Amino acid sequence: MIDKSAVAEVVTNTLEGTELFLVDVTVSADNCIDVQLDSMTDVTIDDCVRVNDAVLGAFDRDVEDYELTVGSYGISAPFKVQRQYEKNVGGEVEVLTADGKKLKGVLKEAGDTGFTLSVTAKMKLEGKKRPEMVTVDHTFNYSEIKYTKNIIQFK
């Protein structure tokens, strides 16, 4: 069976110096390799072909019988790596916290250990008769989150 970390190393080396980054590599028990890429801009077919060719060149198909799929990470799939948070700063996201609270808001910033989400909600303010729309920033460590994913809206 092909080692997942060896595939990840080949892909990472291939992507070095580009805006592309590796999101995930999975290797199933029957040697089906799935490589998921993302980019700060876009992932083209040529990018996928280049990574596909690099993996094919690194692992001999006569020695290891494997199936290989290289593609871009789905826009509606949960974020898996920090660079996806950085890429989506300013965009609307849905966050499910580890304690089961679901929040929707704008991804304000992303750093090495966590991110900030700006949530707008109606709140009763002291001295006011009616609730008002207020924006509150929530800061999370990545470890406190079950998932974060883009909110896709068609206008």
Side-chain angles (χ1 to χ4, degrees), residues 13 79 88:
N13 290 340
F79 301 169
N88 290 288

Side-chain angles (χ1 to χ4, degrees), residues 133-151:
M133 295 301 283
V134 178
T135 300
V136 178
D137 287 348
H138 299 273
T139 302
F140 299 99
N141 288 325
Y142 295 118
S143 62
E144 298 173 318
I145 302 302
K146 284 188 179 178
Y147 72 73
T148 301
K149 60 184 179 180
N150 283 312
I151 295 176

Side-chain angles (χ1 to χ4, degrees), residues 67-147:
E67 178 183 324
L68 175 62
T69 305
V70 178
S72 64
Y73 196 68
I75 190 169
S76 63
F79 301 169
K80 287 195 171 192
V81 296
Q82 178 185 338
R83 287 188 66 185
Q84 289 178 296
Y85 284 86
E86 293 168 359
K87 170 186 177 178
N88 290 288
V89 166
E92 275 194 90
V93 296
E94 177 181 281
V95 173
L96 180 62
T97 63
D99 61 0
K101 186 184 290 183
K102 192 179 281 191
L103 300 168
K104 293 181 181 182
V106 175
L107 188 56
K108 188 173 181 179
E109 59 185 27
D112 291 339
T113 58
F115 64 95
T116 302
L117 182 70
S118 292
V119 178
T120 302
K122 277 188 178 182
M123 295 181 77
K124 178 89 167 110
L125 301 175
E126 190 174 323
K128 302 283 183 170
K129 289 185 178 183
R130 296 177 185 221
E132 294 184 13
M133 295 301 283
V134 178
T135 300
V136 178
D137 287 348
H138 299 273
T139 302
F140 299 99
N141 288 325
Y142 295 118
S143 62
E144 298 173 318
I145 302 302
K146 284 188 179 178
Y147 72 73

